[in-house]
Amino acid sequence: SFGQPWSPLRHFKGHRDTVTSVDFSCNMKQIATGSMDSCVMIWNMKPQMRAYRFDGHKDAVISIQFSPSGHLVASASRDKTVRLWVPSIKAESTVFRAHTGTVRSVNFSGDGQTLVTASDDKTIKVWTVHRQKFLFSLNQHINWVRCAKFSPDDRLIVSSSDDRTIKLWDKNSRDCIHSFYEHAGYANHVAFHPSGTCIAAASTDSSVKVWDIRSHKMLQHYQVHSGVVNGVSFHPAGNFLLTASSDSTLKILDLVEGKLLYTLHGHQGPATCVAFSRTGEHFASGGSDEQVMVWKSNFDCGEHADAVRLHRESASRLQEPSPQTSRDPSTRSSSSQQTQAQGLPQHSAHPQAQAADGGVPPSLASTLEHIIGQLDILTQTVAILEQRLTLTEDKLKECMENQVEIGLRLQSTDQA
């Protein structure tokens, strides 16, 4: 039903600032979004049904997620709280102060009984959904924690931080099992593969990396974006990875072949978040253009049908990858290591490194690499400035609150 292989199915616009997070309900009937405008929106997929706008947070909503049952929506905010909403017209919610800093991430466990939150206060905390009882915290990060997620079997937690580490935690023992190190940037977002055997990280250095959590080896490294990568989402079948970047594009990565499959254009400005639906038949994206776009996945139709079938067969069994080379900049490159996660051979999609093979003069390739390096430095500088600005805003708020408190005390003293 589409003129193009990939094009938005629907556009939603109701937010008044950047869309920061997006998620589907389990039955695909609703989409939840959070925004810098401090609001949560629930969009109904049926065209005749109107959207719900939930006001409650006093500052930007950074992260949002439906519970596995779809009966609740959790939102995390810069106001240091987490809210649990009933996604209906009544907009009922409960709120609890989760951290002493901005809450960057909120995630339900697979059974829907617990929540994990991550914050600028450098901690990760686990809570019960019922009555929001605090269970425990994980405290080894030394900078802001951007993201924290449960593994599919709920036994592990993965977290990413501005301290340039991605940490893997055992939920029961509360020990840090392993730390993956980012050298050129930090991971904005992390996600578990549906098999639970590997993780994908979206980095400020414009790269996407896939790590095996058993061998602790990097399986795949994609350098396909020209801007900060803000979000990643695995297709439920585990064969594809969706990415969103500040270069305004979404990209679909073929994890079995280890190559870039499609680049999607739609957002006017940075693409900030992405999510596949529970079935993988659709995906949604949000951006700084205040728009939410819903796309139809076309993996199972037309020219992709045979490839998807083969991918599913490949992902269903373990097999050693055979190193291969290709002159196509978006396809796989050879690898010296043979470690892999389930159905994921080791590949590297790095167009710059292969430019010379595609007929580009070496001098031009070198110049382009230098320009890209300078852009990366600029991007990192801007990110640091944004962090400092946020810290300044938080300090300013604290000062104002202290002044008000001192004023009230002086008034009460004078009256006495």
Side-chain angles (χ1 to χ4, degrees), residues 31 42 49 77 82 112 122 126 156 191 202 218 237 242 264 267 272 275-276 284 293 296 319 340 342 344 398 404 414:
I31 295 173
I42 305 295
M49 294 185 68
S77 172
V82 169
K122 307 175 189 176
V126 178
L156 303 173
M218 185 169 67
L242 180 62
L264 310 180
H267 289 284
T272 51
F276 271 110
M293 296 184 184
K296 184 177 180 355
Q319 59 181 26
Q340 70 171 111
Q342 187 174 6
L344 295 185
E398 287 179 16
V404 171
D414 290 341

Short mmCIF file of all heavy atoms in Angstrom, two decimals, residues 31 42 49 77 82 112 122 126 156 191 202 218 237 242 264 267 272 275-276 284 293 296 319 340 342 344 398 404 414:
data_model
loop_
_atom_site.label_atom_id
_atom_site.label_comp_id
_atom_site.label_asym_id
_atom_site.label_seq_id
_atom_site.Cartn_x
_atom_site.Cartn_y
_atom_site.Cartn_z
N ILE A 31 -0.08 4.34 21.37
CA ILE A 31 1.33 4.72 21.41
C ILE A 31 1.48 5.77 22.49
O ILE A 31 0.68 6.71 22.56
CB ILE A 31 1.81 5.27 20.06
CG1 ILE A 31 1.75 4.18 18.98
CG2 ILE A 31 3.22 5.83 20.16
CD1 ILE A 31 2.06 4.69 17.59
N ILE A 42 -0.92 10.02 24.86
CA ILE A 42 -1.35 8.67 24.46
C ILE A 42 -2.10 8.82 23.15
O ILE A 42 -3.16 9.46 23.09
CB ILE A 42 -2.25 8.01 25.52
CG1 ILE A 42 -1.57 8.00 26.89
CG2 ILE A 42 -2.63 6.60 25.07
CD1 ILE A 42 -0.32 7.15 26.99
N MET A 49 -10.42 8.04 16.98
CA MET A 49 -10.24 8.25 18.42
C MET A 49 -9.21 9.34 18.68
O MET A 49 -8.15 9.36 18.07
CB MET A 49 -9.81 6.95 19.09
CG MET A 49 -10.87 5.87 19.06
SD MET A 49 -10.38 4.41 19.98
CE MET A 49 -10.38 5.02 21.66
N SER A 77 11.05 11.82 34.60
CA SER A 77 11.12 13.25 34.31
C SER A 77 12.34 13.94 34.92
O SER A 77 12.95 13.44 35.88
CB SER A 77 9.85 13.94 34.81
OG SER A 77 9.95 15.34 34.72
N VAL A 82 8.92 9.80 39.05
CA VAL A 82 8.37 8.83 38.11
C VAL A 82 6.87 8.80 38.34
O VAL A 82 6.41 8.80 39.49
CB VAL A 82 8.99 7.43 38.31
CG1 VAL A 82 8.23 6.38 37.52
CG2 VAL A 82 10.45 7.43 37.91
N GLY A 112 6.27 -7.37 34.62
CA GLY A 112 5.48 -6.18 34.96
C GLY A 112 5.41 -5.87 36.44
O GLY A 112 4.66 -4.96 36.84
N LYS A 122 23.59 9.54 39.46
CA LYS A 122 24.60 8.49 39.26
C LYS A 122 24.15 7.12 39.75
O LYS A 122 24.96 6.18 39.81
CB LYS A 122 25.94 8.85 39.92
CG LYS A 122 26.49 10.21 39.50
CD LYS A 122 27.74 10.56 40.29
CE LYS A 122 28.16 12.00 40.02
NZ LYS A 122 29.33 12.40 40.85
N VAL A 126 15.77 0.09 41.75
CA VAL A 126 14.74 -0.89 41.40
C VAL A 126 13.59 -0.76 42.40
O VAL A 126 13.81 -0.64 43.61
CB VAL A 126 15.31 -2.32 41.39
CG1 VAL A 126 14.22 -3.34 41.08
CG2 VAL A 126 16.44 -2.43 40.37
N LEU A 156 19.12 -9.90 34.58
CA LEU A 156 20.20 -8.93 34.46
C LEU A 156 19.65 -7.53 34.25
O LEU A 156 18.50 -7.35 33.85
CB LEU A 156 21.11 -9.29 33.27
CG LEU A 156 21.76 -10.66 33.27
CD1 LEU A 156 22.49 -10.89 31.95
CD2 LEU A 156 22.73 -10.80 34.43
N ALA A 191 20.03 -1.40 24.67
CA ALA A 191 18.88 -2.31 24.56
C ALA A 191 19.38 -3.73 24.49
O ALA A 191 20.44 -4.02 23.92
CB ALA A 191 18.06 -1.99 23.31
N ALA A 202 23.77 2.86 21.57
CA ALA A 202 23.75 4.04 20.71
C ALA A 202 24.69 5.07 21.31
O ALA A 202 24.51 5.49 22.45
CB ALA A 202 22.34 4.61 20.62
N MET A 218 33.04 -7.37 21.44
CA MET A 218 32.22 -6.57 20.53
C MET A 218 32.00 -7.37 19.26
O MET A 218 32.94 -7.76 18.57
CB MET A 218 32.89 -5.23 20.20
CG MET A 218 32.00 -4.33 19.35
SD MET A 218 32.64 -2.65 19.21
CE MET A 218 34.12 -2.95 18.25
N ALA A 237 12.10 -10.28 16.18
CA ALA A 237 12.71 -11.50 15.65
C ALA A 237 14.22 -11.52 15.89
O ALA A 237 14.86 -12.57 15.77
CB ALA A 237 12.42 -11.64 14.16
N LEU A 242 16.96 -1.01 14.65
CA LEU A 242 16.52 0.32 14.22
C LEU A 242 17.25 1.37 15.03
O LEU A 242 17.38 1.24 16.25
CB LEU A 242 15.01 0.43 14.43
CG LEU A 242 14.28 1.72 14.06
CD1 LEU A 242 14.39 2.01 12.58
CD2 LEU A 242 12.82 1.61 14.48
N LEU A 264 16.16 6.00 6.41
CA LEU A 264 14.81 6.57 6.32
C LEU A 264 14.85 8.05 6.67
O LEU A 264 15.42 8.45 7.68
CB LEU A 264 13.87 5.85 7.28
CG LEU A 264 13.88 4.32 7.21
CD1 LEU A 264 12.89 3.74 8.21
CD2 LEU A 264 13.54 3.84 5.81
N HIS A 267 12.01 13.06 9.54
CA HIS A 267 12.06 14.11 10.55
C HIS A 267 12.84 15.32 10.05
O HIS A 267 13.86 15.18 9.38
CB HIS A 267 12.66 13.59 11.85
CG HIS A 267 11.77 12.64 12.58
ND1 HIS A 267 10.67 13.06 13.30
CD2 HIS A 267 11.79 11.29 12.69
CE1 HIS A 267 10.06 12.02 13.83
NE2 HIS A 267 10.72 10.92 13.47
N THR A 272 15.10 11.56 17.71
CA THR A 272 15.50 11.39 19.10
C THR A 272 15.17 10.03 19.71
O THR A 272 15.80 9.64 20.69
CB THR A 272 14.86 12.49 19.96
OG1 THR A 272 13.45 12.51 19.68
CG2 THR A 272 15.45 13.85 19.63
N ALA A 275 11.13 2.94 18.39
CA ALA A 275 10.67 1.71 19.05
C ALA A 275 9.90 0.86 18.06
O ALA A 275 9.05 1.37 17.32
CB ALA A 275 9.78 2.04 20.25
N PHE A 276 10.22 -0.43 18.04
CA PHE A 276 9.41 -1.39 17.29
C PHE A 276 8.18 -1.74 18.12
O PHE A 276 8.22 -1.72 19.36
CB PHE A 276 10.19 -2.67 17.04
CG PHE A 276 11.01 -2.67 15.78
CD1 PHE A 276 12.40 -2.63 15.84
CD2 PHE A 276 10.40 -2.71 14.54
CE1 PHE A 276 13.16 -2.64 14.68
CE2 PHE A 276 11.15 -2.72 13.36
CZ PHE A 276 12.54 -2.69 13.44
N ALA A 284 7.83 3.18 15.50
CA ALA A 284 7.52 4.59 15.68
C ALA A 284 8.80 5.36 15.97
O ALA A 284 9.77 4.81 16.51
CB ALA A 284 6.52 4.79 16.83
N MET A 293 6.08 9.75 14.29
CA MET A 293 5.77 9.07 13.03
C MET A 293 5.65 7.58 13.27
O MET A 293 6.46 6.99 13.99
CB MET A 293 6.85 9.34 11.99
CG MET A 293 6.98 10.79 11.58
SD MET A 293 8.20 11.02 10.28
CE MET A 293 8.19 12.81 10.14
N LYS A 296 5.28 1.43 8.81
CA LYS A 296 4.96 0.00 8.65
C LYS A 296 6.23 -0.73 8.25
O LYS A 296 6.93 -0.32 7.33
CB LYS A 296 3.89 -0.18 7.57
CG LYS A 296 3.44 -1.63 7.42
CD LYS A 296 2.34 -1.74 6.40
CE LYS A 296 1.82 -3.13 6.16
NZ LYS A 296 2.46 -4.23 6.82
N GLN A 319 25.72 -20.58 14.89
CA GLN A 319 26.62 -21.00 13.83
C GLN A 319 27.81 -20.07 13.79
O GLN A 319 27.70 -18.90 14.10
CB GLN A 319 25.92 -21.00 12.46
CG GLN A 319 25.36 -19.63 12.06
CD GLN A 319 24.66 -19.70 10.72
OE1 GLN A 319 24.17 -20.74 10.33
NE2 GLN A 319 24.63 -18.59 10.02
N GLN A 340 30.26 -14.92 18.54
CA GLN A 340 29.02 -14.33 18.10
C GLN A 340 27.91 -14.57 19.11
O GLN A 340 27.96 -15.52 19.88
CB GLN A 340 28.60 -14.87 16.74
CG GLN A 340 28.16 -16.33 16.80
CD GLN A 340 27.55 -16.79 15.50
OE1 GLN A 340 28.14 -17.57 14.82
NE2 GLN A 340 26.40 -16.31 15.18
N GLN A 342 23.67 -15.20 19.48
CA GLN A 342 22.78 -16.07 18.72
C GLN A 342 22.32 -15.39 17.45
O GLN A 342 21.64 -14.39 17.45
CB GLN A 342 21.57 -16.42 19.57
CG GLN A 342 20.68 -17.46 18.91
CD GLN A 342 19.58 -17.89 19.85
OE1 GLN A 342 19.43 -17.35 20.92
NE2 GLN A 342 18.81 -18.87 19.42
N LEU A 344 24.00 -13.70 15.34
CA LEU A 344 24.65 -12.44 14.99
C LEU A 344 26.12 -12.66 14.70
O LEU A 344 26.95 -12.69 15.60
CB LEU A 344 24.51 -11.43 16.14
CG LEU A 344 23.11 -10.96 16.46
CD1 LEU A 344 23.19 -9.89 17.53
CD2 LEU A 344 22.41 -10.42 15.22
N GLU A 398 17.85 25.15 42.78
CA GLU A 398 18.12 24.90 44.19
C GLU A 398 18.32 26.22 44.95
O GLU A 398 17.82 26.40 46.06
CB GLU A 398 19.36 24.03 44.34
CG GLU A 398 19.13 22.57 43.96
CD GLU A 398 20.39 21.73 44.11
OE1 GLU A 398 21.34 22.21 44.78
OE2 GLU A 398 20.44 20.63 43.55
N VAL A 404 13.69 31.16 48.81
CA VAL A 404 12.29 31.19 49.24
C VAL A 404 12.16 30.66 50.67
O VAL A 404 11.47 31.23 51.51
CB VAL A 404 11.40 30.36 48.28
CG1 VAL A 404 10.00 30.20 48.85
CG2 VAL A 404 11.34 31.03 46.91
N ASP A 414 10.28 37.31 62.23
CA ASP A 414 9.81 38.67 62.46
C ASP A 414 8.46 38.67 63.16
O ASP A 414 8.20 39.49 64.05
CB ASP A 414 9.72 39.41 61.13
CG ASP A 414 11.09 39.70 60.53
OD1 ASP A 414 12.09 39.66 61.28
OD2 ASP A 414 11.16 39.93 59.31
#
